[in-house]
Amino acid sequence: MTARSVANRIALLSYGAINIAMMAVTKSVSLFSAERPVVARERLQMQYHGADYMMAKVIAEFPMDTFFSLVFGMVLHRRCEPRISQGRFLALLGLATTASGALGLAVGALAPSPDAAVTLATPLMVLMMIVGVKNPAGVQSRALPLPLSLIATISPIRWAIDAMLIAELRGATFEPSQGDSGPKIGALAATRSGSHVLDRLGMANASGGHATKRLVQITIGNLILAALGLAWQCPRGGGGSGA
């Protein structure tokens, strides 16, 4: 690893996390929105509860979504050869996929209509991407306003990128670039280790375990919100027992 390659590595891992998250949310919201009228009719007829439907969605869709993210991750890791181990990389992609899929279910369940869910999902993910990405030039982001800071806290993109960058850069030492000693300008100039880069990004004290824990919490929290959304939008005439 050389200092000149750091910006490319930051961009590579960031785009990988963004692609996976966008795919999972888009698929989850689209399918959920298409199924909502049918689910409402069947719940009205007391064929199953909202919790049963949510459990079936998780069991049927999350493994398939994770499979595609793992295939994507294996190809990306083999072709680009980041420093992060393949096992760690695939695990983080799979966890980011699950967290993003759960977010899609929560948006679909809480939105007042299927069209509103689809309309809301895209700008929400764009905001989560904006507050989650790191500047590949190595410039620490300014403090975010409170609303954006709250969005960053629940952004699966943010925590997936954090976990990947920590695994990629912490403990890394840079080899001299042939014919060049490294970047001449920008915050990455004169950096000689991955830990130094993390410090420039404002992640000196960040923990990969903490970022991974956040992804798990986001997954669980969004599944709970999705279940509550289904209960709240229980079809009229089905009574509370249809939730």
Side-chain angles (χ1 to χ4, degrees):
M1 179 186 295
T2 65
R4 291 179 61 86
S5 72
V6 171
N8 291 336
R9 291 172 182 269
I10 293 174
L12 171 70
L13 296 176
S14 299
Y15 289 140
I18 291 169
N19 288 340
I20 286 298
M22 289 290 191
M23 178 196 72
V25 169
T26 301
K27 175 180 176 294
S28 183
V29 171
S30 298
L31 287 179
F32 194 94
S33 299
E35 294 169 356
R36 264 183 67 166
V38 177
V39 172
R41 183 172 64 250
E42 292 177 346
R43 290 178 62 202
L44 187 61
Q45 297 170 356
M46 302 295 293
Q47 296 186 21
Y48 49 79
H49 301 296
D52 300 329
Y53 169 73
M54 187 60 59
M55 183 64 67
K57 292 282 288 183
V58 171
I59 294 174
E61 295 181 7
F62 280 19
M64 184 62 68
D65 293 344
T66 302
F67 171 76
F68 283 115
S69 72
L70 296 182
V71 173
F72 169 79
M74 286 192 297
V75 173
L76 187 64
H77 196 280
R78 181 175 293 251
R79 297 290 297 176
C80 300
E81 299 182 347
R83 178 175 174 270
I84 181 176
S85 69
Q86 185 181 67
R88 177 71 173 167
F89 184 57
L90 295 181
L92 289 173
L93 282 181
L95 192 52
T97 301
T98 302
S100 301
L103 175 62
L105 290 178
V107 172
L110 293 172
S113 68
D115 291 339
V118 174
T119 302
L120 176 63
T122 299
L124 178 61
M125 288 305 293
V126 170
L127 281 176
M128 290 189 171
M129 177 185 69
I130 291 173
V131 300
V133 297
K134 308 297 180 184
N135 191 329
V139 180
Q140 183 176 351
S141 301
R142 297 178 180 178
L144 296 171
L146 180 59
L148 292 181
S149 179
L150 293 175
I151 292 176
T153 302
I154 61 172
S155 170
I157 295 176
R158 180 260 180 100
W159 296 112
I161 291 175
D162 280 10
M164 290 180 188
L165 291 183
I166 292 169
E168 176 74 11
L169 297 173
R170 181 153 292 160
T173 55
F174 298 156
E175 302 172 358
S177 301
Q178 185 175 3
D180 197 340
S181 59
K184 301 301 184 185
I185 60 175
L188 293 184
T191 55
R192 291 294 176 266
S193 70
S195 297
H196 195 185
V197 174
L198 290 175
D199 181 54
R200 294 292 180 90
L201 293 172
M203 300 173 61
N205 299 319
S207 165
H210 175 70
T212 302
K213 182 180 178 180
R214 284 289 191 179
L215 287 172
V216 174
Q217 291 172 340
I218 289 171
T219 302
I220 296 173
N222 280 316
L223 289 177
I224 293 174
L225 284 177
L228 292 175
L230 284 175
W232 173 55
Q233 302 199 39
C234 179
R236 302 301 182 191
S241 62

